[in-house]
Amino acid sequence: MMGKAYLVGSGPGGLGLMTIRAREVIDSADVVLYDQLPGEEILATLPESAERIDCGKYGGSHTLEQHEIEALMVERVKAGKTVVRLKGGDPFLFGRGGEEIETLREHGISVEVVPGVTSAIAVPEMVGIPVTHRRYASQVTFITGHEDPTKPESALDWEVLARLKGTLVILMGVKNLPAIAAALTAHGKDPATPVAIIERGLRPDQRVTVGTLADIAEKARAAGVRPPAVIVIGGVVELYVGGEGQATP
């Protein structure tokens, strides 16, 4: 008998911001494929009876490649298992959930997607930065800071992004932050535009580093900023009052 697959968003971190449906599905799983983004608090509650498969990426090293993750999901579901692919934030916002659902459907596998609270909004707001504000930003744009390296060219139009008057929120952008800041300023964005980097959002060691497009890359380097982190660019960063580099409780 064929099993079932679930693509589950665990939210931005911590059990309190995970949905009830996500909890139900995780607790019913025979197999959980997870990465490090859900955080230790959530990972500690994975059912002991389930097969737990680490799919994380650590320092650029992939425990499993994407095609291997998808093959494991297909194999376990066809063996009759209830399979949960557990992701941080929401599965469909730069979480490769779209690729996974395509593969599962190609194999005739039933899939349920469980939405999660996205870190792109929740992490900034938990340190007092709204991604929209009537005085600062009437639009928000989410972009990835790490595109598929096999693409012949970037899908990001930096000229357009530099002209936008709203907020830019970048996920997976720590490594490429110097290039991102340089591209935006080269295409006309004001070097004095405020920037905030929120590392390890909603975790006990959460930290915020603020600066401008002109100096944020150097400040991040000096502070030893590391992923996972959410980068916010725009006037809304002025609403952050925690202080530069301060760890926020």
Side-chain angles (χ1 to χ4, degrees):
M1 179 181 294
M2 185 86 78
K4 184 171 181 178
Y6 295 86
L7 303 179
V8 179
S10 67
L15 294 169
L17 292 175
M18 187 169 67
T19 66
I20 293 172
R21 181 58 179 158
R23 181 77 267 168
E24 292 172 345
V25 169
I26 292 168
D27 289 344
S28 71
D30 298 312
V31 182
V32 181
L33 296 96
Y34 66 92
D35 56 40
Q36 73 272 30
L37 290 178
E40 293 179 3
E41 183 180 358
I42 290 174
L43 296 180
T45 69
L46 299 182
E48 293 185 4
S49 59
E51 178 186 8
R52 287 167 281 185
I53 302 174
D54 185 354
C55 303
K57 301 172 184 177
Y58 304 92
S61 174
H62 296 198
T63 305
L64 291 171
E65 297 295 338
Q66 185 63 28
H67 70 276
E68 295 175 309
I69 295 170
E70 294 168 6
L72 279 171
M73 293 172 67
V74 170
E75 177 188 305
R76 297 300 195 272
V77 173
K78 287 189 173 181
K81 305 293 185 179
T82 297
V83 176
V84 167
R85 176 69 174 104
L86 183 63
K87 301 171 176 291
D90 183 89
F92 280 4
L93 186 63
F94 305 135
R96 306 192 75 167
E99 298 170 44
E100 291 166 356
I101 200 170
E102 284 184 297
T103 297
L104 292 165
R105 285 172 173 169
E106 286 170 3
H107 288 268
I109 291 172
S110 176
V111 186
E112 179 183 329
V113 180
V114 180
V117 176
T118 176
S119 60
I121 296 175
V123 167
E125 75 185 4
M126 292 301 284
V127 300
I129 300 175
V131 295
T132 63
H133 188 287
R134 291 205 306 177
R135 187 163 68 251
Y136 293 101
S138 296
Q139 66 182 41
V140 57
T141 303
F142 303 109
I143 67 173
T144 176
H146 179 73
E147 292 186 273
D148 182 350
T150 65
K151 285 182 179 179
E153 59 183 21
S154 173
L156 298 174
D157 188 328
W158 292 106
E159 184 176 357
V160 170
L161 292 170
R163 289 202 308 267
L164 295 177
K165 301 300 184 184
T167 306
L168 286 178
V169 178
I170 305 173
L171 302 183
M172 302 177 290
V174 170
K175 180 179 179 181
N176 293 327
L177 179 57
I180 290 168
L184 288 170
T185 54
H187 287 90
K189 199 159 191 70
D190 186 350
T193 302
V195 183
I197 308 170
I198 307 106
E199 297 173 80
R200 301 178 296 279
L202 291 100
R203 301 183 189 181
D205 57 348
Q206 174 178 281
R207 184 172 66 156
V208 182
T209 301
V210 296
T212 66
L213 277 176
D215 63 18
I216 193 62
E218 175 56 27
K219 287 187 173 183
R221 185 200 63 77
V225 170
R226 299 177 62 186
V230 176
I231 300 169
V232 184
I233 301 173
V236 292
V237 173
E238 294 180 6
L239 296 171
Y240 174 66
V241 295
E244 181 178 323
Q246 177 177 320
T248 305

